[in-house]
């Protein structure tokens, strides 16, 4: 029980840390994108401010792998947050709030022999015989008849 509670607390802490870390990385990446924007960088360079120099960006930076890392960070948070439910089910907190219904077998156990069906009437009715309807007897196949559910294999 103590181990389950410890697992639950650790899972909640890791889930929270993934949320905070992914959010911080997303904000940091946003700041990096603004700081490395080629148009902004060209405006800050003193050599590009002179009219005799012509400055232009050759290509824009590729940020797709960084964007992907942010997405995977939030997906990892979702994974840890989903694990909270399964670890919570292992703790005693989940089962203490539920009220269990009594076992249906215990509820009706006294009324089995007093019910509407009489088990003796099936075999003594004369119209239904289980041995006759199953096909050939087990003696014809060279097996010993040890009961109705014999699954012996003489190898």
């Amino acid at each position: 029980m103590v181990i389950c509670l410890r697992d639950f607390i650790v899972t909640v802490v890791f889930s929270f840390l993934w949320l905070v870390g992914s959010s911080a990385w997303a904000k940091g990446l946003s700041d990096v994108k603004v700081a490395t924007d080629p148009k902004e960088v060209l405006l800050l360079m003193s050599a590009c401010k002179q009219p005799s120099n012509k400055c232009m960006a050759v290509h824009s930076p590729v940020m797709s792998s960084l964007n992907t890392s942010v997405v995977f960070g939030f997906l990892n948070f979702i994974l840890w947050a989903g694990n909270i439910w399964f670890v919570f089910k292992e703790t005693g907190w989940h089962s203490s709030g539920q009220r269990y219904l009594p076992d249906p077998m215990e509820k009706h156990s006294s009324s089995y022999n007093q019910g509407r069906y009489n088990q003796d009437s099936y075999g003594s009715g004369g119209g239904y015989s289980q041995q006759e309807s199953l096909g050939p007897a087990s003696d014809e196949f060279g097996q010993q008849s040890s009961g109705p559910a014999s699954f012996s294999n003489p190898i």
Side-chain angles (χ1 to χ4, degrees):
M1 182 70 161
V2 174
I3 294 173
C4 293
L5 293 176
R6 198 176 310 150
D7 286 344
F8 179 74
I9 292 169
V10 168
T11 304
V12 168
V13 167
F14 272 113
S15 181
F16 178 74
L17 288 175
W18 271 107
L19 175 65
V20 171
S22 297
S23 300
W25 175 234
K27 172 64 174 139
L29 180 60
S30 175
D31 292 344
V32 166
K33 286 180 180 181
V34 169
T36 59
D37 184 28
K39 295 174 187 171
E40 295 294 322
V41 172
L42 292 177
L43 292 175
L44 296 173
M45 294 176 65
S46 60
C48 293
K49 291 181 181 177
Q50 296 174 0
S52 62
N53 295 336
K54 185 177 181 185
C55 298
M56 59 184 266
V58 177
H59 58 81
S60 60
V62 179
M63 300 281 184
S64 60
S65 61
L66 296 175
N67 292 335
T68 304
S69 69
V70 170
V71 169
F72 276 110
F74 282 109
L75 287 176
N76 206 1
F77 160 69
I78 291 170
L79 180 73
W80 277 92
N83 276 339
I84 290 173
W85 169 248
F86 294 107
V87 176
F88 174 72
K89 286 178 65 175
E90 295 294 323
T91 63
W93 298 331
H94 177 66
S95 61
S96 65
Q98 292 183 351
R99 298 180 186 230
Y100 294 104
L101 297 174
D103 192 350
M105 295 301 287
E106 293 175 10
K107 183 178 180 183
H108 300 291
S109 63
S110 63
S111 64
Y112 279 137
N113 294 332
Q114 300 170 2
R116 343 175 242 219
Y117 302 109
N118 188 0
Q119 291 180 357
D120 294 330
S121 66
Y122 288 112
S124 63
Y128 178 77
S129 174
Q130 189 175 10
Q131 285 292 333
E132 295 172 1
S133 65
L134 289 179
S138 60
D139 299 350
E140 296 177 18
F141 298 113
Q143 297 177 349
Q144 298 175 353
S145 59
S146 62
S150 174
F151 297 105
S152 62
N153 190 1
I155 296 179

